Amino acid sequence: MLLYQDIVNVDEFFKLDGIRETILEYAQVSVFSQVRTKKDLFEDIRSTYFIKSRDEIFKFIVAMDKNLCVGFCIYTLDLYDHLGDMVATMDSMFLREKYRNDNNGNNLINFTLSHAKDMGAKIMFLSARYGSREAKVFNKWFKPTSIEFAKEL
């Protein structure tokens, strides 16, 4: 059974046992693998979050198997001017493939949604690639609100 918890800051997140392996597995299936060319994707991702965490309020949720990090969800928390309320935006979520059973993914999503609500968020947004497996999974948890378009430049 996995334990879900929040991590206080980006420094603690990147010091967890197993985080390097988990992020490298994530990087192979994420957008990072499509836009990054560095050999060490872990360092690339880590430096991105260190830079971004100066400007945004990041929340780090982790799935732990004893003392080993096997999954994570990272979201931002911010005031949404149009609503006048706090909103959460999921930046990334990943669970190692061998742990994608026994409701672990659902539990990670539930814990993250509950955590965001406890932090004051009234709504959580996320994006997923059109037609992807993730989009199908998230469709049962989230209501589609808009279509996002992209063009490679």
Side-chain angles (χ1 to χ4, degrees):
M1 181 172 178
L2 299 182
L3 173 70
Y4 305 93
Q5 64 187 60
D6 64 318
I7 300 298
V8 175
N9 62 45
V10 68
D11 293 311
E12 285 183 48
F13 179 71
F14 284 103
K15 289 179 183 173
L16 291 170
D17 288 340
I19 193 64
R20 173 181 278 278
E21 295 80 7
T22 299
I23 286 181
L24 288 175
E25 189 175 322
Y26 160 71
Q28 298 309 311
V29 297
S30 76
V31 69
F32 280 100
S33 66
Q34 298 170 18
V35 298
R36 300 287 198 255
T37 57
K38 290 184 178 179
K39 286 184 179 180
D40 192 346
L41 288 170
F42 175 79
E43 289 301 326
D44 199 18
I45 292 169
R46 186 172 73 157
S47 65
T48 298
Y49 279 113
F50 272 109
I51 292 166
K52 288 173 71 175
S53 68
R54 292 184 200 142
D55 301 324
E56 299 183 53
I57 302 170
F58 276 93
K59 301 296 177 189
F60 298 89
I61 305 298
V62 294
M64 303 293 291
D65 183 0
K66 297 183 177 92
N67 65 342
L68 185 69
C69 179
V70 298
F72 60 85
C73 183
I74 302 170
Y75 73 90
T76 59
L77 191 62
D78 203 0
L79 182 64
Y80 191 60
D81 294 332
H82 297 297
L83 296 176
D85 285 319
M86 294 297 284
V87 298
T89 303
M90 190 180 297
D91 183 69
S92 55
M93 179 180 166
F94 181 75
L95 191 61
R96 286 190 192 181
E97 190 167 347
K98 78 179 217 174
Y99 292 92
R100 295 179 194 166
N101 55 25
D102 299 330
N103 250 1
N104 290 325
N106 290 338
N107 292 339
L108 179 57
I109 291 172
N110 276 331
F111 186 91
T112 301
L113 293 171
S114 178
H115 187 271
K117 184 176 181 178
D118 290 347
M119 296 299 296
K122 302 293 184 203
I123 192 168
M124 180 174 278
F125 295 106
L126 71 81
S127 295
R129 286 189 308 260
Y130 183 77
S132 69
R133 185 180 75 191
E134 294 84 5
K136 291 174 186 154
V137 169
F138 289 131
N139 196 42
K140 72 179 184 178
W141 290 90
F142 295 82
K143 179 177 104 177
T145 58
S146 62
I147 298 174
E148 196 171 297
F149 296 93
K151 180 170 178 55
E152 190 173 326
L153 303 176

